[in-house]
Amino acid sequence: MSLPNHVAIIMDGNGRWALQRGKSRNYGHQCGLKAIEKIVDYSIKKKISYLTLFTFSSENWKRPKKEVNFLFKLLENYFRKNILKVIRNGIKVKIIGNKFSLPSHLRKTIKIAENKTRKNNKISVQLALNYGSKQEIINSMKIVNKKKQKITLKNIEKNLFTSGFPDTDILIRTGGQKRLSNFLLWQIAYAEIFFIKKMWPDFNNNDFQKILNKFKKIKRNFGKV
Ligand code: IPE
Ligand code: IPE
Ligand code: MG
């Protein structure tokens, strides 16, 4: 069987990982960012064309303000400091989710990152930021309705934030929980799902390769026999 075209990851466990080491949850997020860099590089090496990373859910606003602000600042600083590296590595960045309620300076930074990496073609990386799958589906239906189009698979898909990305082949969730937390509910209809016990900062290329190996051996039926 072939390699996956689109891998999506629920990067869970940063907080627990850090607390287990007597560190702050925010320290865990910093280490989680390093794990992201490694996995993106490895995905390029593996010729995976599309990657979607759950970065901040629409429900994560319920966390302490200090943690929410830290997460936003972390992302903003990353793109400010590393944009040249991101361009050089051929990474096309796309943000999915409700951008409007994000801090304006973060919005500006991600817009610049999206624009500057627009022509990159080694890998497309969607960062799900203030993302909720149910909200995404409602939003799409509202657009279809407004355009007076028919409710069809194609029309709904065209107006999802993920439009332009193929269906998800592999969904990975680290951190030991077996739930979807409102992530890509539509897009994972036929994804192969891997729940991994390791916390996200510990997830490495070897863990990823093991999943890719397992995926290769899976017979995907899509309803056929
Ligand atoms: C990272 O893991 C996911 C984000 C929301 C950034 P968590 O912060 O949820 O870590 P745990 O699950 O509390 O350990
Ligand atoms: C999902 O993790 C969101 C991200 C990885 C960004 P959560 O830690 O927020 O999920 P729940 O609340 O445990 O379901
Ligand atoms: Mg969590």
Side-chain angles (χ1 to χ4, degrees), residues 9-13 16 25 53-60 63 128 173 177 179-183:
I9 312 181
I10 302 174
M11 310 179 292
D12 195 25
R16 279 166 288 160
R25 291 182 52 84
L53 303 173
F54 206 3
T55 313
F56 189 87
S57 78
S58 46
E59 289 76 34
N60 285 148
R63 294 186 179 204
R173 182 179 187 135
Q177 309 291 353
R179 57 176 176 253
L180 300 174
S181 305
N182 202 12
F183 188 50

mmCIF file of all heavy atoms in Angstrom, residues 9-13 16 25 53-60 63 128 173 177 179-183, ligand 2:
data_model
loop_
_atom_site.group_PDB
_atom_site.id
_atom_site.type_symbol
_atom_site.label_atom_id
_atom_site.label_comp_id
_atom_site.label_asym_id
_atom_site.label_seq_id
_atom_site.Cartn_x
_atom_site.Cartn_y
_atom_site.Cartn_z
ATOM 1 N N ILE A 9 -2.926 15.440 13.143
ATOM 2 C CA ILE A 9 -2.460 15.076 14.488
ATOM 3 C C ILE A 9 -3.115 15.927 15.578
ATOM 4 O O ILE A 9 -3.127 17.163 15.501
ATOM 5 C CB ILE A 9 -0.921 15.209 14.624
ATOM 6 C CG1 ILE A 9 -0.197 14.540 13.439
ATOM 7 C CG2 ILE A 9 -0.450 14.608 15.952
ATOM 8 C CD1 ILE A 9 1.324 14.608 13.503
ATOM 9 N N ILE A 10 -3.665 15.243 16.583
ATOM 10 C CA ILE A 10 -4.109 15.909 17.809
ATOM 11 C C ILE A 10 -2.925 15.818 18.767
ATOM 12 O O ILE A 10 -2.646 14.754 19.331
ATOM 13 C CB ILE A 10 -5.366 15.222 18.404
ATOM 14 C CG1 ILE A 10 -6.502 15.217 17.380
ATOM 15 C CG2 ILE A 10 -5.787 15.922 19.703
ATOM 16 C CD1 ILE A 10 -7.750 14.415 17.825
ATOM 17 N N MET A 11 -2.229 16.915 18.890
ATOM 18 C CA MET A 11 -0.966 16.916 19.641
ATOM 19 C C MET A 11 -1.278 17.130 21.124
ATOM 20 O O MET A 11 -1.172 18.240 21.634
ATOM 21 C CB MET A 11 -0.073 18.037 19.109
ATOM 22 C CG MET A 11 0.071 18.035 17.577
ATOM 23 S SD MET A 11 1.093 19.387 16.973
ATOM 24 C CE MET A 11 0.078 20.810 17.346
ATOM 25 N N ASP A 12 -1.648 16.069 21.803
ATOM 26 C CA ASP A 12 -2.114 16.215 23.187
ATOM 27 C C ASP A 12 -1.060 15.717 24.177
ATOM 28 O O ASP A 12 -0.294 14.802 23.877
ATOM 29 C CB ASP A 12 -3.423 15.426 23.361
ATOM 30 C CG ASP A 12 -4.154 15.819 24.626
ATOM 31 O OD1 ASP A 12 -3.948 16.962 25.103
ATOM 32 O OD2 ASP A 12 -4.928 14.999 25.145
ATOM 33 N N GLY A 13 -1.055 16.342 25.349
ATOM 34 C CA GLY A 13 -0.197 15.850 26.440
ATOM 35 C C GLY A 13 0.931 16.780 26.864
ATOM 36 O O GLY A 13 1.714 16.427 27.742
ATOM 37 N N ARG A 16 0.624 17.615 30.805
ATOM 38 C CA ARG A 16 0.965 16.487 31.685
ATOM 39 C C ARG A 16 2.448 16.158 31.605
ATOM 40 O O ARG A 16 3.101 15.877 32.603
ATOM 41 C CB ARG A 16 0.117 15.257 31.307
ATOM 42 C CG ARG A 16 -1.282 15.275 31.895
ATOM 43 C CD ARG A 16 -2.156 14.261 31.229
ATOM 44 N NE ARG A 16 -2.500 14.677 29.881
ATOM 45 C CZ ARG A 16 -2.919 13.838 28.926
ATOM 46 N NH1 ARG A 16 -2.989 12.538 29.169
ATOM 47 N NH2 ARG A 16 -3.239 14.304 27.743
ATOM 48 N N ARG A 25 3.101 23.972 32.830
ATOM 49 C CA ARG A 25 2.407 23.529 31.613
ATOM 50 C C ARG A 25 2.948 24.284 30.395
ATOM 51 O O ARG A 25 3.112 23.704 29.317
ATOM 52 C CB ARG A 25 0.891 23.766 31.739
ATOM 53 C CG ARG A 25 0.201 22.863 32.764
ATOM 54 C CD ARG A 25 -1.303 23.144 32.783
ATOM 55 N NE ARG A 25 -1.875 23.085 31.449
ATOM 56 C CZ ARG A 25 -2.267 21.949 30.861
ATOM 57 N NH1 ARG A 25 -2.172 20.809 31.491
ATOM 58 N NH2 ARG A 25 -2.771 22.001 29.641
ATOM 59 N N LEU A 53 -2.390 20.066 11.909
ATOM 60 C CA LEU A 53 -1.994 19.982 13.318
ATOM 61 C C LEU A 53 -2.976 20.748 14.197
ATOM 62 O O LEU A 53 -3.229 21.933 13.958
ATOM 63 C CB LEU A 53 -0.582 20.567 13.485
ATOM 64 C CG LEU A 53 0.510 19.921 12.631
ATOM 65 C CD1 LEU A 53 1.818 20.688 12.767
ATOM 66 C CD2 LEU A 53 0.722 18.459 13.026
ATOM 67 N N PHE A 54 -3.509 20.056 15.194
ATOM 68 C CA PHE A 54 -4.465 20.705 16.101
ATOM 69 C C PHE A 54 -3.667 21.518 17.119
ATOM 70 O O PHE A 54 -2.975 20.980 17.978
ATOM 71 C CB PHE A 54 -5.303 19.634 16.809
ATOM 72 C CG PHE A 54 -6.657 20.098 17.260
ATOM 73 C CD1 PHE A 54 -7.121 21.371 16.986
ATOM 74 C CD2 PHE A 54 -7.501 19.231 17.957
ATOM 75 C CE1 PHE A 54 -8.385 21.794 17.392
ATOM 76 C CE2 PHE A 54 -8.768 19.625 18.370
ATOM 77 C CZ PHE A 54 -9.210 20.914 18.090
ATOM 78 N N THR A 55 -3.744 22.820 16.977
ATOM 79 C CA THR A 55 -2.901 23.725 17.751
ATOM 80 C C THR A 55 -3.659 24.387 18.904
ATOM 81 O O THR A 55 -3.130 24.599 19.981
ATOM 82 C CB THR A 55 -2.349 24.821 16.806
ATOM 83 O OG1 THR A 55 -1.857 24.184 15.628
ATOM 84 C CG2 THR A 55 -1.224 25.597 17.445
ATOM 85 N N PHE A 56 -4.917 24.737 18.636
ATOM 86 C CA PHE A 56 -5.745 25.377 19.676
ATOM 87 C C PHE A 56 -7.208 25.166 19.296
ATOM 88 O O PHE A 56 -7.630 25.548 18.205
ATOM 89 C CB PHE A 56 -5.421 26.876 19.749
ATOM 90 C CG PHE A 56 -6.056 27.595 20.909
ATOM 91 C CD1 PHE A 56 -5.429 27.638 22.151
ATOM 92 C CD2 PHE A 56 -7.288 28.228 20.768
ATOM 93 C CE1 PHE A 56 -6.019 28.296 23.220
ATOM 94 C CE2 PHE A 56 -7.881 28.885 21.836
ATOM 95 C CZ PHE A 56 -7.244 28.923 23.062
ATOM 96 N N SER A 57 -7.954 24.542 20.195
ATOM 97 C CA SER A 57 -9.345 24.247 19.846
ATOM 98 C C SER A 57 -10.254 25.401 20.263
ATOM 99 O O SER A 57 -9.883 26.223 21.115
ATOM 100 C CB SER A 57 -9.798 22.963 20.532
ATOM 101 O OG SER A 57 -10.094 23.198 21.896
ATOM 102 N N SER A 58 -11.440 25.425 19.681
ATOM 103 C CA SER A 58 -12.394 26.471 20.045
ATOM 104 C C SER A 58 -12.816 26.332 21.507
ATOM 105 O O SER A 58 -13.357 27.259 22.091
ATOM 106 C CB SER A 58 -13.604 26.424 19.108
ATOM 107 O OG SER A 58 -14.047 25.096 18.947
ATOM 108 N N GLU A 59 -12.540 25.168 22.088
ATOM 109 C CA GLU A 59 -12.881 24.946 23.503
ATOM 110 C C GLU A 59 -11.702 25.285 24.426
ATOM 111 O O GLU A 59 -11.878 25.386 25.641
ATOM 112 C CB GLU A 59 -13.309 23.485 23.727
ATOM 113 C CG GLU A 59 -14.678 23.141 23.133
ATOM 114 C CD GLU A 59 -14.664 22.977 21.614
ATOM 115 O OE1 GLU A 59 -13.648 22.492 21.068
ATOM 116 O OE2 GLU A 59 -15.662 23.363 20.970
ATOM 117 N N ASN A 60 -10.514 25.457 23.842
ATOM 118 C CA ASN A 60 -9.343 25.749 24.686
ATOM 119 C C ASN A 60 -9.374 27.153 25.306
ATOM 120 O O ASN A 60 -8.552 27.469 26.180
ATOM 121 C CB ASN A 60 -8.033 25.555 23.893
ATOM 122 C CG ASN A 60 -7.665 24.103 23.667
ATOM 123 O OD1 ASN A 60 -7.068 23.738 22.659
ATOM 124 N ND2 ASN A 60 -8.003 23.232 24.612
ATOM 125 N N ARG A 63 -9.353 27.543 29.163
ATOM 126 C CA ARG A 63 -8.134 27.404 29.982
ATOM 127 C C ARG A 63 -7.780 28.750 30.629
ATOM 128 O O ARG A 63 -8.279 29.789 30.194
ATOM 129 C CB ARG A 63 -6.972 26.943 29.091
ATOM 130 C CG ARG A 63 -7.210 25.558 28.568
ATOM 131 C CD ARG A 63 -6.023 25.031 27.801
ATOM 132 N NE ARG A 63 -6.310 23.673 27.354
ATOM 133 C CZ ARG A 63 -5.398 22.769 27.081
ATOM 134 N NH1 ARG A 63 -4.126 23.072 27.174
ATOM 135 N NH2 ARG A 63 -5.761 21.564 26.698
ATOM 136 N N ALA A 128 -4.594 24.160 12.872
ATOM 137 C CA ALA A 128 -5.961 24.376 13.335
ATOM 138 C C ALA A 128 -5.902 25.234 14.589
ATOM 139 O O ALA A 128 -5.433 24.804 15.641
ATOM 140 C CB ALA A 128 -6.634 23.041 13.608
ATOM 141 N N ARG A 173 -3.601 10.665 17.617
ATOM 142 C CA ARG A 173 -3.746 11.447 18.848
ATOM 143 C C ARG A 173 -2.749 10.921 19.869
ATOM 144 O O ARG A 173 -2.788 9.750 20.230
ATOM 145 C CB ARG A 173 -5.156 11.375 19.437
ATOM 146 C CG ARG A 173 -5.263 12.244 20.701
ATOM 147 C CD ARG A 173 -6.628 12.266 21.342
ATOM 148 N NE ARG A 173 -6.643 13.256 22.421
ATOM 149 C CZ ARG A 173 -7.599 14.151 22.642
ATOM 150 N NH1 ARG A 173 -8.662 14.174 21.883
ATOM 151 N NH2 ARG A 173 -7.501 15.017 23.628
ATOM 152 N N GLN A 177 -5.510 9.728 25.429
ATOM 153 C CA GLN A 177 -6.981 9.786 25.409
ATOM 154 C C GLN A 177 -7.500 9.279 24.065
ATOM 155 O O GLN A 177 -6.912 9.555 23.035
ATOM 156 C CB GLN A 177 -7.493 11.214 25.615
ATOM 157 C CG GLN A 177 -6.918 11.936 26.815
ATOM 158 C CD GLN A 177 -7.383 11.357 28.134
ATOM 159 O OE1 GLN A 177 -8.237 10.482 28.171
ATOM 160 N NE2 GLN A 177 -6.802 11.833 29.220
ATOM 161 N N ARG A 179 -10.271 10.128 22.182
ATOM 162 C CA ARG A 179 -11.405 10.961 21.770
ATOM 163 C C ARG A 179 -10.953 11.941 20.693
ATOM 164 O O ARG A 179 -9.770 12.130 20.466
ATOM 165 C CB ARG A 179 -12.018 11.669 22.973
ATOM 166 C CG ARG A 179 -11.064 12.537 23.767
ATOM 167 C CD ARG A 179 -11.801 13.272 24.897
ATOM 168 N NE ARG A 179 -10.900 14.025 25.733
ATOM 169 C CZ ARG A 179 -10.553 13.695 26.981
ATOM 170 N NH1 ARG A 179 -11.052 12.631 27.552
ATOM 171 N NH2 ARG A 179 -9.715 14.457 27.658
ATOM 172 N N LEU A 180 -11.950 12.575 20.061
ATOM 173 C CA LEU A 180 -11.651 13.429 18.912
ATOM 174 C C LEU A 180 -11.652 14.917 19.245
ATOM 175 O O LEU A 180 -11.108 15.726 18.495
ATOM 176 C CB LEU A 180 -12.643 13.150 17.780
ATOM 177 C CG LEU A 180 -12.619 11.699 17.275
ATOM 178 C CD1 LEU A 180 -13.720 11.455 16.256
ATOM 179 C CD2 LEU A 180 -11.257 11.350 16.663
ATOM 180 N N SER A 181 -12.264 15.284 20.368
ATOM 181 C CA SER A 181 -12.249 16.681 20.825
ATOM 182 C C SER A 181 -12.601 17.690 19.722
ATOM 183 O O SER A 181 -11.928 18.719 19.586
ATOM 184 C CB SER A 181 -10.899 17.022 21.467
ATOM 185 O OG SER A 181 -10.590 16.115 22.498
ATOM 186 N N ASN A 182 -13.625 17.359 18.948
ATOM 187 C CA ASN A 182 -14.151 18.317 17.948
ATOM 188 C C ASN A 182 -13.145 18.651 16.843
ATOM 189 O O ASN A 182 -13.047 19.784 16.391
ATOM 190 C CB ASN A 182 -14.623 19.596 18.679
ATOM 191 C CG ASN A 182 -15.629 20.400 17.871
ATOM 192 O OD1 ASN A 182 -16.174 19.936 16.866
ATOM 193 N ND2 ASN A 182 -15.882 21.632 18.299
ATOM 194 N N PHE A 183 -12.381 17.646 16.426
ATOM 195 C CA PHE A 183 -11.357 17.843 15.391
ATOM 196 C C PHE A 183 -11.735 17.098 14.107
ATOM 197 O O PHE A 183 -11.969 15.882 14.133
ATOM 198 C CB PHE A 183 -10.023 17.323 15.934
ATOM 199 C CG PHE A 183 -8.820 17.619 15.063
ATOM 200 C CD1 PHE A 183 -8.564 18.894 14.594
ATOM 201 C CD2 PHE A 183 -7.915 16.611 14.737
ATOM 202 C CE1 PHE A 183 -7.446 19.172 13.823
ATOM 203 C CE2 PHE A 183 -6.784 16.874 13.966
ATOM 204 C CZ PHE A 183 -6.556 18.156 13.512
HETATM 205 C C1 IPE B 2 -7.249 18.846 21.949
HETATM 206 O O1 IPE B 2 -6.662 18.646 23.171
HETATM 207 C C2 IPE B 2 -6.850 20.182 21.415
HETATM 208 C C3 IPE B 2 -5.475 20.293 20.936
HETATM 209 C C4 IPE B 2 -4.603 19.324 20.864
HETATM 210 C C5 IPE B 2 -5.093 21.599 20.464
HETATM 211 P P1 IPE B 2 -7.420 19.003 24.526
HETATM 212 O O2 IPE B 2 -6.475 18.696 25.629
HETATM 213 O O3 IPE B 2 -7.935 20.384 24.483
HETATM 214 O O4 IPE B 2 -8.635 17.985 24.519
HETATM 215 P P2 IPE B 2 -9.589 17.545 25.695
HETATM 216 O O5 IPE B 2 -10.126 18.788 26.319
HETATM 217 O O6 IPE B 2 -8.761 16.777 26.664
HETATM 218 O O7 IPE B 2 -10.621 16.697 25.050
#
